[in-house]
Amino acid sequence: MGASVRAVPLQSPLPPAEEVMAFIRSYVVPEGFPDSVTPSYVPYMTWRALKHFFGGAMGVFTTRTLLSSVGVSQSKVTPGAIAINWILKDGAGRVGKMLFARQGKKFDYDLKQLRFSSDLLLEIGAGIELATAAFPQFFLPMACVANVVKNVAAVTSTSTRTPIYKAYARGENIGDVTAKGESVGNIADLLGTGLSIFISKRNPSLVTSFAFLSCGYLLSSYHEVRSVVLNTLNRARFTVAVDSFIKTGHIPSLKEGNSQETIFNPPWRHEPIAIGSRFGEAFQEPASFVAIRPLFEDERYMVTYNPAKDKVYALLKDQAKSDDIIKAAFHAHVLLHFINASHARKQMNSRRSDPYGNPCNMDFMAHIAESCKIVSSSYGTFKKKAREQGWIMSESLLNPGKARLCPVRPQ
C-alpha cells in the first residue's frame, strides 16, 4: 500500500491582471491595507506623492542650472576647480544640517508647522540655486547658502517623518508603513524627474518653470500636512480645543481639531500667551505679583496679564507636572478670553477716553480672579470631554519655557 504525497496550494492562482495589481500593491501599501492603517492614510499619501512629483521635477532644473553655473563662473574651467566648488557647497550644507539638529524636542512639539516650514525653505533654496544662472560669478556663495537652507529643510523633514507615520500605523507595523511611504515618494520623484527631463529639452523659461513647480509643491505640502491627524495636544491644537470649549462647551473631534490647526506661523506673529515665562517678563512691578499670589496658593502655577506687552503669562512653580502645565495653559486661555471680551466691549461702548481701546487701562486683576473661579469649576469637564473625543491628556506638548518659580527659604 504505497502512499502518495501531493502539495496542495493554499491559494488558487490569480488572474494575470490581479497578479500585477498585487505586485504593485506590495510596493505602495502596507500589508493588511486598509485595516492596517488609519482612514486618513490615503489622502496623506496622495498629497505626499504629488509633492514628491513636483520636487523631482524641480530637481532636474536646479541640478542643470548648478552644473551650468559652476562652469560658467570660472574664466578657466578646470575639473579641479569645479570639483572644489561643488565640495565646498556640499560641505556648507552639512554644517547647516548639523547646527539645526540642536532644535531637539521642537520637532515633536510642532511637527506639522516645522514640516511645512521645511518645504517652504526647500523651495527658497531651489530658488537661490536657479538664481545662480543669472549670477554665475557668485556661484559659490549662492550655492552654499542654498545648500545650507536645503539641508536644514532636509533634517527637519527627516525628524518629523517618523511621528507622522506612527500616527497612521495600527499595531506594530510602523516599519512597514514607513517603508511603503518612502517607496511611494521615490516612485513619484522618479516620475517627476522623467517628465522634467523631457520638458527641459525644450528649454522652457526658468522663471515660469520655477513658479509653476513651486506652487504645485507648496500646495501639495500644505494639504499633505493638513491631512495628518494627531491625537496629541500641541499649542495650536490646544488653542483650537480650548477656544471651542469656552465658546460652545464642545470639544472638537480629532479630525475637526487637526483640520482647524494653524499650519504656518510667521515669525513676526504676536503670540498672546506665553507658558513657563520668567518673572520679569510677566510682572511689571512686584505689587502685581503680591496681589494675585493668594489666588494661586493651591496651584502649581500662576497666571497674569502684562498690559504693556498685551500678553497673558503662565508661570510654573518648581513642583509643576504635566497636568499642571496643561491646566496653566487652559487657565491662560480663559483669562485671555475675558480680556479680549472686555477689550471688545470697551471699544464698542467708550472711545472718548481711549479712542484705540487700549487694554492697558483695563482692570485685569478682576479678570484674573474671575478666571480662577471658572477654571476651578470647568477644567475637570474640559479634560473629561477631551478624553472622550480621543485626545491624549497625559502628555504635554505645549513646549513650556524652562523658567520655574521657586520658594525663597528664610535663612
Side-chain angles (χ1 to χ4, degrees):
M1 296 177 62
S4 60
V5 179
R6 183 177 61 178
V8 179
L10 297 178
Q11 294 180 345
S12 59
L14 296 174
E18 293 188 16
E19 285 189 0
V20 172
M21 291 303 299
F23 177 78
I24 295 175
R25 286 167 60 92
S26 67
Y27 280 94
V28 298
V29 296
E31 292 185 17
F33 177 85
D35 297 329
S36 60
V37 291
T38 60
S40 56
Y41 176 79
V42 173
Y44 171 78
M45 292 309 303
T46 302
W47 288 111
R48 177 173 171 78
L50 193 59
K51 184 186 80 171
H52 277 267
F53 177 83
F54 285 110
M58 178 68 76
V60 173
F61 288 99
T62 56
T63 303
R64 181 183 178 185
T65 302
L66 288 174
L67 290 174
S68 175
S69 300
V70 73
V72 173
S73 62
Q74 305 294 328
S75 57
K76 296 181 180 180
V77 180
T78 62
I82 293 176
I84 290 173
N85 277 347
W86 203 267
I87 291 171
L88 289 174
K89 171 186 76 71
D90 289 344
R94 292 189 180 96
V95 171
K97 180 186 290 188
M98 177 186 65
L99 294 177
F100 195 70
R102 70 182 296 272
Q103 296 298 318
K105 292 196 71 175
K106 288 183 180 180
F107 295 121
D108 300 303
Y109 293 136
D110 300 314
L111 62 91
K112 288 189 189 181
Q113 291 75 9
L114 286 174
R115 184 65 171 268
F116 181 72
S117 297
S118 72
D119 288 332
L120 186 61
L121 283 176
L122 198 66
E123 291 308 292
I124 293 174
I128 297 174
E129 288 180 338
L130 291 176
T132 59
F135 307 99
Q137 65 274 21
F138 299 115
F139 168 81
L140 187 57
M142 292 179 69
C144 286
V145 170
N147 222 32
V148 168
V149 171
K150 293 180 75 172
N151 274 274
V152 167
V155 72
T156 304
S157 178
T158 302
S159 302
T160 56
R161 184 182 305 156
T162 300
I164 291 177
Y165 282 136
K166 185 178 179 181
Y168 290 114
R170 282 181 172 173
E172 301 298 326
N173 62 336
I174 178 63
D176 187 26
V177 172
T178 302
K180 299 305 165 46
E182 295 305 295
S183 177
V184 170
N186 289 332
I187 292 172
D189 189 281
L190 289 173
L191 292 175
T193 300
L195 180 62
S196 187
I197 290 174
F198 174 76
I199 295 175
S200 64
K201 292 180 179 180
R202 303 180 180 227
N203 294 318
S205 168
L206 280 179
V207 175
T208 303
S209 301
F210 173 73
F212 174 74
L213 294 175
S214 289
C215 288
Y217 184 89
L218 292 176
L219 181 65
S220 303
S221 172
Y222 178 81
H223 285 288
E224 174 201 23
V225 174
R226 175 67 73 188
S227 64
V228 177
V229 177
L230 301 173
N231 60 358
T232 53
L233 288 171
N234 67 346
R235 288 199 182 191
R237 294 186 291 278
F238 189 84
T239 299
V240 171
V242 177
D243 286 351
S244 176
F245 179 77
I246 292 174
K247 295 174 182 177
T248 67
H250 167 73
I251 299 291
S253 65
L254 297 181
K255 187 175 181 180
E256 292 172 343
N258 279 268
S259 65
Q260 297 173 34
E261 178 182 3
T262 302
I263 299 299
F264 179 65
N265 290 320
W268 56 86
R269 180 181 178 181
H270 173 68
E271 293 292 340
I273 292 177
I275 305 172
S277 309
R278 295 179 181 275
F279 182 90
E281 297 173 344
F283 295 99
Q284 290 182 287
E285 66 281 332
S288 300
F289 169 74
V290 174
I292 69 169
R293 184 178 180 180
L295 298 174
F296 298 95
E297 286 291 342
D298 298 329
E299 302 291 350
R300 295 176 178 175
Y301 68 89
M302 297 180 70
V303 172
T304 188
Y305 173 71
N306 190 329
K309 298 179 181 179
D310 190 21
K311 182 179 288 191
V312 174
Y313 290 89
L315 294 87
L316 304 174
K317 299 181 181 180
D318 60 344
Q319 315 96 331
K321 305 299 181 183
S322 179
D323 185 67
D324 300 308
I325 296 173
I326 297 175
K327 188 175 183 180
F330 177 80
H331 197 147
H333 279 278
V334 172
L335 177 58
L336 181 65
H337 174 75
F338 281 125
I339 291 174
N340 288 339
S342 179
H343 186 193
R345 288 194 299 268
K346 187 179 181 67
Q347 285 182 321
M348 292 176 61
N349 298 333
S350 175
R351 293 180 178 271
R352 289 171 295 181
S353 59
D354 187 0
Y356 298 101
N358 192 340
C360 293
N361 295 329
M362 294 189 305
D363 182 15
F364 62 88
M365 299 298 294
H367 294 315
I368 295 177
E370 188 178 3
S371 69
C372 289
K373 298 177 183 178
I374 297 297
V375 170
S376 63
S377 62
S378 63
Y379 177 64
T381 305
F382 169 76
K383 286 203 306 179
K384 179 183 177 182
K385 290 188 175 183
R387 289 196 182 99
E388 290 174 352
Q389 291 291 355
W391 294 106
I392 294 180
M393 299 293 292
S394 59
E395 295 183 21
S396 173
L397 293 178
L398 301 177
N399 190 19
K402 297 181 179 180
R404 296 293 184 270
L405 294 176
C406 299
V408 178
R409 297 178 176 84
Q411 298 293 331

PDB file of all heavy atoms in Angstrom, residues 272 282-284 288 292 303-313 335-336 339 359-360 362 364 368:
ATOM      1  N   PRO A 272      -0.189  85.665  21.856  1.00  0.00           N
ATOM      2  CA  PRO A 272      -0.850  86.286  23.017  1.00  0.00           C
ATOM      3  C   PRO A 272      -0.630  85.561  24.330  1.00  0.00           C
ATOM      4  O   PRO A 272      -0.964  86.092  25.387  1.00  0.00           O
ATOM      5  CB  PRO A 272      -2.330  86.251  22.626  1.00  0.00           C
ATOM      6  CG  PRO A 272      -2.443  85.069  21.715  1.00  0.00           C
ATOM      7  CD  PRO A 272      -1.144  84.986  20.967  1.00  0.00           C
ATOM      8  N   ALA A 282       6.697  88.673  33.063  1.00  0.00           N
ATOM      9  CA  ALA A 282       5.270  88.619  33.348  1.00  0.00           C
ATOM     10  C   ALA A 282       4.776  89.794  34.177  1.00  0.00           C
ATOM     11  O   ALA A 282       3.654  90.275  33.971  1.00  0.00           O
ATOM     12  CB  ALA A 282       4.934  87.311  34.062  1.00  0.00           C
ATOM     13  N   PHE A 283       5.571  90.262  35.111  1.00  0.00           N
ATOM     14  CA  PHE A 283       5.122  91.290  36.044  1.00  0.00           C
ATOM     15  C   PHE A 283       5.869  92.590  35.799  1.00  0.00           C
ATOM     16  O   PHE A 283       7.105  92.606  35.712  1.00  0.00           O
ATOM     17  CB  PHE A 283       5.331  90.833  37.491  1.00  0.00           C
ATOM     18  CG  PHE A 283       4.494  89.643  37.879  1.00  0.00           C
ATOM     19  CD1 PHE A 283       5.041  88.367  37.872  1.00  0.00           C
ATOM     20  CD2 PHE A 283       3.159  89.791  38.226  1.00  0.00           C
ATOM     21  CE1 PHE A 283       4.279  87.257  38.222  1.00  0.00           C
ATOM     22  CE2 PHE A 283       2.385  88.696  38.579  1.00  0.00           C
ATOM     23  CZ  PHE A 283       2.948  87.420  38.570  1.00  0.00           C
ATOM     24  N   GLN A 284       5.084  93.681  35.715  1.00  0.00           N
ATOM     25  CA  GLN A 284       5.702  94.985  35.563  1.00  0.00           C
ATOM     26  C   GLN A 284       6.273  95.499  36.879  1.00  0.00           C
ATOM     27  O   GLN A 284       7.273  96.208  36.897  1.00  0.00           O
ATOM     28  CB  GLN A 284       4.668  95.989  35.030  1.00  0.00           C
ATOM     29  CG  GLN A 284       4.268  95.745  33.583  1.00  0.00           C
ATOM     30  CD  GLN A 284       3.290  96.800  33.094  1.00  0.00           C
ATOM     31  OE1 GLN A 284       2.124  96.815  33.472  1.00  0.00           O
ATOM     32  NE2 GLN A 284       3.774  97.696  32.249  1.00  0.00           N
ATOM     33  N   SER A 288       1.991  93.678  41.589  1.00  0.00           N
ATOM     34  CA  SER A 288       1.059  92.816  40.844  1.00  0.00           C
ATOM     35  C   SER A 288       1.190  91.371  41.295  1.00  0.00           C
ATOM     36  O   SER A 288       0.193  90.655  41.450  1.00  0.00           O
ATOM     37  CB  SER A 288       1.326  92.936  39.341  1.00  0.00           C
ATOM     38  OG  SER A 288       1.151  94.255  38.895  1.00  0.00           O
ATOM     39  N   ILE A 292      -1.902  88.968  43.239  1.00  0.00           N
ATOM     40  CA  ILE A 292      -2.542  87.749  42.720  1.00  0.00           C
ATOM     41  C   ILE A 292      -1.997  86.478  43.372  1.00  0.00           C
ATOM     42  O   ILE A 292      -2.579  85.401  43.179  1.00  0.00           O
ATOM     43  CB  ILE A 292      -2.366  87.639  41.191  1.00  0.00           C
ATOM     44  CG1 ILE A 292      -0.892  87.363  40.843  1.00  0.00           C
ATOM     45  CG2 ILE A 292      -2.876  88.866  40.480  1.00  0.00           C
ATOM     46  CD1 ILE A 292      -0.686  86.985  39.398  1.00  0.00           C
ATOM     47  N   VAL A 303      -1.021  82.675  36.813  1.00  0.00           N
ATOM     48  CA  VAL A 303      -1.384  83.274  35.529  1.00  0.00           C
ATOM     49  C   VAL A 303      -1.600  84.761  35.735  1.00  0.00           C
ATOM     50  O   VAL A 303      -2.263  85.172  36.694  1.00  0.00           O
ATOM     51  CB  VAL A 303      -2.650  82.625  34.941  1.00  0.00           C
ATOM     52  CG1 VAL A 303      -3.124  83.380  33.709  1.00  0.00           C
ATOM     53  CG2 VAL A 303      -2.398  81.173  34.594  1.00  0.00           C
ATOM     54  N   THR A 304      -1.035  85.563  34.839  1.00  0.00           N
ATOM     55  CA  THR A 304      -1.192  87.011  34.928  1.00  0.00           C
ATOM     56  C   THR A 304      -1.226  87.610  33.529  1.00  0.00           C
ATOM     57  O   THR A 304      -1.031  86.900  32.539  1.00  0.00           O
ATOM     58  CB  THR A 304      -0.050  87.642  35.742  1.00  0.00           C
ATOM     59  OG1 THR A 304      -0.329  89.031  35.961  1.00  0.00           O
ATOM     60  CG2 THR A 304       1.274  87.508  35.013  1.00  0.00           C
ATOM     61  N   TYR A 305      -1.467  88.913  33.495  1.00  0.00           N
ATOM     62  CA  TYR A 305      -1.536  89.632  32.220  1.00  0.00           C
ATOM     63  C   TYR A 305      -0.646  90.856  32.309  1.00  0.00           C
ATOM     64  O   TYR A 305      -0.691  91.600  33.294  1.00  0.00           O
ATOM     65  CB  TYR A 305      -2.981  90.043  31.928  1.00  0.00           C
ATOM     66  CG  TYR A 305      -3.140  90.935  30.716  1.00  0.00           C
ATOM     67  CD1 TYR A 305      -2.960  90.433  29.430  1.00  0.00           C
ATOM     68  CD2 TYR A 305      -3.478  92.285  30.859  1.00  0.00           C
ATOM     69  CE1 TYR A 305      -3.109  91.248  28.321  1.00  0.00           C
ATOM     70  CE2 TYR A 305      -3.636  93.103  29.759  1.00  0.00           C
ATOM     71  CZ  TYR A 305      -3.447  92.582  28.492  1.00  0.00           C
ATOM     72  OH  TYR A 305      -3.587  93.395  27.402  1.00  0.00           O
ATOM     73  N   ASN A 306       0.160  91.063  31.287  1.00  0.00           N
ATOM     74  CA  ASN A 306       1.039  92.226  31.228  1.00  0.00           C
ATOM     75  C   ASN A 306       0.481  93.191  30.193  1.00  0.00           C
ATOM     76  O   ASN A 306       0.603  92.946  28.987  1.00  0.00           O
ATOM     77  CB  ASN A 306       2.462  91.803  30.857  1.00  0.00           C
ATOM     78  CG  ASN A 306       3.466  92.934  31.022  1.00  0.00           C
ATOM     79  OD1 ASN A 306       3.130  94.099  30.849  1.00  0.00           O
ATOM     80  ND2 ASN A 306       4.703  92.570  31.357  1.00  0.00           N
ATOM     81  N   PRO A 307      -0.154  94.298  30.616  1.00  0.00           N
ATOM     82  CA  PRO A 307      -0.769  95.228  29.652  1.00  0.00           C
ATOM     83  C   PRO A 307       0.246  95.859  28.706  1.00  0.00           C
ATOM     84  O   PRO A 307      -0.087  96.141  27.555  1.00  0.00           O
ATOM     85  CB  PRO A 307      -1.431  96.282  30.539  1.00  0.00           C
ATOM     86  CG  PRO A 307      -1.539  95.651  31.889  1.00  0.00           C
ATOM     87  CD  PRO A 307      -0.373  94.720  31.999  1.00  0.00           C
ATOM     88  N   ALA A 308       1.459  96.082  29.182  1.00  0.00           N
ATOM     89  CA  ALA A 308       2.460  96.726  28.335  1.00  0.00           C
ATOM     90  C   ALA A 308       2.821  95.869  27.127  1.00  0.00           C
ATOM     91  O   ALA A 308       3.104  96.388  26.046  1.00  0.00           O
ATOM     92  CB  ALA A 308       3.716  97.027  29.158  1.00  0.00           C
ATOM     93  N   LYS A 309       2.795  94.544  27.295  1.00  0.00           N
ATOM     94  CA  LYS A 309       3.129  93.631  26.202  1.00  0.00           C
ATOM     95  C   LYS A 309       1.889  92.989  25.589  1.00  0.00           C
ATOM     96  O   LYS A 309       2.019  92.231  24.616  1.00  0.00           O
ATOM     97  CB  LYS A 309       4.072  92.543  26.716  1.00  0.00           C
ATOM     98  CG  LYS A 309       5.395  93.088  27.237  1.00  0.00           C
ATOM     99  CD  LYS A 309       6.283  91.967  27.759  1.00  0.00           C
ATOM    100  CE  LYS A 309       7.601  92.517  28.291  1.00  0.00           C
ATOM    101  NZ  LYS A 309       8.479  91.442  28.827  1.00  0.00           N
ATOM    102  N   ASP A 310       0.721  93.291  26.161  1.00  0.00           N
ATOM    103  CA  ASP A 310      -0.543  92.720  25.683  1.00  0.00           C
ATOM    104  C   ASP A 310      -0.435  91.204  25.558  1.00  0.00           C
ATOM    105  O   ASP A 310      -0.726  90.624  24.510  1.00  0.00           O
ATOM    106  CB  ASP A 310      -0.933  93.342  24.340  1.00  0.00           C
ATOM    107  CG  ASP A 310      -2.353  92.965  23.924  1.00  0.00           C
ATOM    108  OD1 ASP A 310      -3.146  92.593  24.810  1.00  0.00           O
ATOM    109  OD2 ASP A 310      -2.656  93.024  22.717  1.00  0.00           O
ATOM    110  N   LYS A 311      -0.014  90.583  26.649  1.00  0.00           N
ATOM    111  CA  LYS A 311       0.211  89.138  26.618  1.00  0.00           C
ATOM    112  C   LYS A 311      -0.138  88.529  27.966  1.00  0.00           C
ATOM    113  O   LYS A 311       0.100  89.133  29.021  1.00  0.00           O
ATOM    114  CB  LYS A 311       1.669  88.838  26.265  1.00  0.00           C
ATOM    115  CG  LYS A 311       2.003  87.358  26.170  1.00  0.00           C
ATOM    116  CD  LYS A 311       3.459  87.134  25.781  1.00  0.00           C
ATOM    117  CE  LYS A 311       3.713  87.491  24.337  1.00  0.00           C
ATOM    118  NZ  LYS A 311       5.045  87.030  23.881  1.00  0.00           N
ATOM    119  N   VAL A 312      -0.716  87.314  27.922  1.00  0.00           N
ATOM    120  CA  VAL A 312      -1.001  86.547  29.122  1.00  0.00           C
ATOM    121  C   VAL A 312       0.172  85.630  29.409  1.00  0.00           C
ATOM    122  O   VAL A 312       0.674  84.950  28.497  1.00  0.00           O
ATOM    123  CB  VAL A 312      -2.301  85.724  28.955  1.00  0.00           C
ATOM    124  CG1 VAL A 312      -2.510  84.810  30.158  1.00  0.00           C
ATOM    125  CG2 VAL A 312      -3.492  86.652  28.777  1.00  0.00           C
ATOM    126  N   TYR A 313       0.591  85.584  30.650  1.00  0.00           N
ATOM    127  CA  TYR A 313       1.744  84.773  31.044  1.00  0.00           C
ATOM    128  C   TYR A 313       1.313  83.705  32.040  1.00  0.00           C
ATOM    129  O   TYR A 313       0.602  83.997  33.005  1.00  0.00           O
ATOM    130  CB  TYR A 313       2.836  85.642  31.675  1.00  0.00           C
ATOM    131  CG  TYR A 313       3.536  86.551  30.696  1.00  0.00           C
ATOM    132  CD1 TYR A 313       3.047  87.837  30.444  1.00  0.00           C
ATOM    133  CD2 TYR A 313       4.669  86.127  30.012  1.00  0.00           C
ATOM    134  CE1 TYR A 313       3.681  88.676  29.545  1.00  0.00           C
ATOM    135  CE2 TYR A 313       5.313  86.965  29.113  1.00  0.00           C
ATOM    136  CZ  TYR A 313       4.811  88.230  28.884  1.00  0.00           C
ATOM    137  OH  TYR A 313       5.447  89.048  27.983  1.00  0.00           O
ATOM    138  N   LEU A 335      -8.314  83.306  30.759  1.00  0.00           N
ATOM    139  CA  LEU A 335      -8.028  84.705  31.079  1.00  0.00           C
ATOM    140  C   LEU A 335      -7.965  85.554  29.815  1.00  0.00           C
ATOM    141  O   LEU A 335      -8.488  86.681  29.781  1.00  0.00           O
ATOM    142  CB  LEU A 335      -6.709  84.800  31.854  1.00  0.00           C
ATOM    143  CG  LEU A 335      -6.229  86.213  32.199  1.00  0.00           C
ATOM    144  CD1 LEU A 335      -7.273  86.960  33.023  1.00  0.00           C
ATOM    145  CD2 LEU A 335      -4.892  86.162  32.941  1.00  0.00           C
ATOM    146  N   LEU A 336      -7.340  85.028  28.772  1.00  0.00           N
ATOM    147  CA  LEU A 336      -7.262  85.767  27.510  1.00  0.00           C
ATOM    148  C   LEU A 336      -8.654  86.019  26.939  1.00  0.00           C
ATOM    149  O   LEU A 336      -8.928  87.089  26.383  1.00  0.00           O
ATOM    150  CB  LEU A 336      -6.408  84.989  26.510  1.00  0.00           C
ATOM    151  CG  LEU A 336      -6.214  85.642  25.134  1.00  0.00           C
ATOM    152  CD1 LEU A 336      -5.422  86.934  25.259  1.00  0.00           C
ATOM    153  CD2 LEU A 336      -5.503  84.685  24.178  1.00  0.00           C
ATOM    154  N   ILE A 339     -10.167  88.933  28.846  1.00  0.00           N
ATOM    155  CA  ILE A 339      -9.528  90.197  28.489  1.00  0.00           C
ATOM    156  C   ILE A 339      -9.951  90.641  27.087  1.00  0.00           C
ATOM    157  O   ILE A 339     -10.246  91.822  26.867  1.00  0.00           O
ATOM    158  CB  ILE A 339      -7.996  90.056  28.583  1.00  0.00           C
ATOM    159  CG1 ILE A 339      -7.580  89.916  30.053  1.00  0.00           C
ATOM    160  CG2 ILE A 339      -7.297  91.245  27.939  1.00  0.00           C
ATOM    161  CD1 ILE A 339      -6.121  89.639  30.260  1.00  0.00           C
ATOM    162  N   PRO A 359      -5.884  98.183  25.970  1.00  0.00           N
ATOM    163  CA  PRO A 359      -6.170  97.300  27.091  1.00  0.00           C
ATOM    164  C   PRO A 359      -5.370  97.624  28.336  1.00  0.00           C
ATOM    165  O   PRO A 359      -5.591  97.030  29.373  1.00  0.00           O
ATOM    166  CB  PRO A 359      -5.792  95.920  26.535  1.00  0.00           C
ATOM    167  CG  PRO A 359      -4.781  96.190  25.475  1.00  0.00           C
ATOM    168  CD  PRO A 359      -5.183  97.484  24.873  1.00  0.00           C
ATOM    169  N   CYS A 360      -4.435  98.597  28.241  1.00  0.00           N
ATOM    170  CA  CYS A 360      -3.631  98.932  29.410  1.00  0.00           C
ATOM    171  C   CYS A 360      -4.488  99.526  30.518  1.00  0.00           C
ATOM    172  O   CYS A 360      -4.118  99.485  31.692  1.00  0.00           O
ATOM    173  CB  CYS A 360      -2.529  99.932  29.022  1.00  0.00           C
ATOM    174  SG  CYS A 360      -1.285  99.234  27.913  1.00  0.00           S
ATOM    175  N   MET A 362      -7.488  98.557  31.421  1.00  0.00           N
ATOM    176  CA  MET A 362      -8.473  97.625  31.966  1.00  0.00           C
ATOM    177  C   MET A 362      -8.052  97.152  33.355  1.00  0.00           C
ATOM    178  O   MET A 362      -6.869  97.044  33.662  1.00  0.00           O
ATOM    179  CB  MET A 362      -8.605  96.408  31.034  1.00  0.00           C
ATOM    180  CG  MET A 362      -9.191  96.734  29.678  1.00  0.00           C
ATOM    181  SD  MET A 362      -9.542  95.234  28.757  1.00  0.00           S
ATOM    182  CE  MET A 362      -7.973  94.429  28.765  1.00  0.00           C
ATOM    183  N   PHE A 364      -7.463  94.339  34.905  1.00  0.00           N
ATOM    184  CA  PHE A 364      -7.291  92.913  34.610  1.00  0.00           C
ATOM    185  C   PHE A 364      -7.200  92.073  35.880  1.00  0.00           C
ATOM    186  O   PHE A 364      -7.339  90.853  35.819  1.00  0.00           O
ATOM    187  CB  PHE A 364      -6.055  92.688  33.744  1.00  0.00           C
ATOM    188  CG  PHE A 364      -4.762  93.101  34.376  1.00  0.00           C
ATOM    189  CD1 PHE A 364      -4.041  92.214  35.163  1.00  0.00           C
ATOM    190  CD2 PHE A 364      -4.236  94.367  34.174  1.00  0.00           C
ATOM    191  CE1 PHE A 364      -2.842  92.578  35.744  1.00  0.00           C
ATOM    192  CE2 PHE A 364      -3.034  94.740  34.742  1.00  0.00           C
ATOM    193  CZ  PHE A 364      -2.327  93.840  35.529  1.00  0.00           C
ATOM    194  N   ILE A 368      -8.559  88.189  36.420  1.00  0.00           N
ATOM    195  CA  ILE A 368      -7.780  87.054  36.924  1.00  0.00           C
ATOM    196  C   ILE A 368      -8.568  86.324  38.009  1.00  0.00           C
ATOM    197  O   ILE A 368      -8.646  85.087  38.021  1.00  0.00           O
ATOM    198  CB  ILE A 368      -6.417  87.529  37.464  1.00  0.00           C
ATOM    199  CG1 ILE A 368      -5.567  88.104  36.333  1.00  0.00           C
ATOM    200  CG2 ILE A 368      -5.679  86.383  38.145  1.00  0.00           C
ATOM    201  CD1 ILE A 368      -4.227  88.660  36.771  1.00  0.00           C
TER     202      ILE A 368
END
